[in-house]
Amino acid sequence: MASTSSGDQHSPTAPTSGSGDLFDERLYVPWWWWLVAAVIVGLLGYEIQIALRHSALSWIAYLVVAPLVAWLLWSMGRTRIRVSADHELFAHKAHLPVSVIDHVAAVPATAKSAALGRQLDPAAFLVHRAWVKTMVLIVLDDPDDPTPYWLVSTRHPERLITALGLRDAATPDD
């Protein structure tokens, strides 16, 4: 089996980034989510303070809620998409040799809901983050892998396709 894409075929962990990576992107949450999280921490902390009737130790609620909310946002933004110098695509915890890719296409923000909606093949492998507007469709040509394609969120689809050394199938030939 040439690719490790979904289900029990995942590689347990992606290797650490080397300086020779052709593409490396971390799918962080938007910066303003941290502002919203600060407001949520304030509201939840205050609600807990009220529930504890402003006792002497009720301020501890803020010390408990703040790290939990920060951990949640941090964990949501841990996803990495990268192409190694060895021409392997790493999408979160899965990896795929470029040699098993048939073709790729950028999925613009306007077509994202269609790609993830009724047109989605249930056997497809997804690395989707709702806050990232664009994606790349990676169609596989591997008879040993039941996964027909990958859909991977990326803020820079053109750069990812270029790093894979392939041409965007969605653009017309010149």
Side-chain angles (χ1 to χ4, degrees), residues 14-68:
T16 58
S17 175
S19 59
D21 285 346
L22 303 173
F23 178 85
D24 193 358
E25 176 183 18
R26 199 160 210 139
L27 303 179
Y28 295 110
V29 296
W31 65 268
W32 58 269
W33 284 26
W34 291 93
L35 297 176
V36 172
V39 171
I40 290 171
V41 166
L43 288 172
L44 287 175
Y46 186 67
E47 289 292 328
I48 294 170
Q49 256 189 327
I50 291 173
L52 296 175
R53 301 172 195 224
H54 295 284
S55 71
L57 297 177
S58 63
W59 60 270
I60 294 175
Y62 296 99
L63 296 177
V64 172
V65 172
L68 288 175

Side-chain angles (χ1 to χ4, degrees), residues 2-166:
S3 68
T4 54
S5 57
S6 60
D8 55 340
Q9 298 172 352
H10 275 121
S11 62
T13 57
T16 58
S17 175
S19 59
D21 285 346
L22 303 173
F23 178 85
D24 193 358
E25 176 183 18
R26 199 160 210 139
L27 303 179
Y28 295 110
V29 296
W31 65 268
W32 58 269
W33 284 26
W34 291 93
L35 297 176
V36 172
V39 171
I40 290 171
V41 166
L43 288 172
L44 287 175
Y46 186 67
E47 289 292 328
I48 294 170
Q49 256 189 327
I50 291 173
L52 296 175
R53 301 172 195 224
H54 295 284
S55 71
L57 297 177
S58 63
W59 60 270
I60 294 175
Y62 296 99
L63 296 177
V64 172
V65 172
L68 288 175
V69 171
W71 174 82
L72 177 67
L73 289 180
W74 173 79
S75 67
M76 289 172 65
R78 287 182 41 189
T79 304
R80 278 179 69 199
I81 309 299
R82 70 183 188 90
V83 177
S84 70
D86 299 334
H87 292 284
E88 284 202 45
L89 171 65
F90 291 88
H92 197 45
K93 295 180 180 177
H95 73 278
L96 179 72
V98 175
S99 61
V100 299
I101 297 175
D102 186 36
H103 60 276
V104 295
V107 178
T110 55
K112 181 178 176 181
S113 64
L116 293 171
R118 295 175 65 179
Q119 296 177 6
L120 181 67
D121 187 326
F125 177 70
L126 299 177
V127 177
H128 173 249
R129 298 299 176 259
W131 56 90
V132 179
K133 294 183 182 358
T134 54
M135 302 182 87
V136 171
L137 169 70
I138 303 164
V139 179
L140 306 181
D141 183 23
D142 183 4
D144 295 330
D145 192 346
T147 307
Y149 60 87
W150 284 22
L151 271 173
V152 178
S153 290
T154 178
R155 290 184 176 97
H156 310 285
E158 305 84 20
R159 288 179 32 202
L160 176 58
I161 291 170
T162 301
L164 290 170
L166 299 169

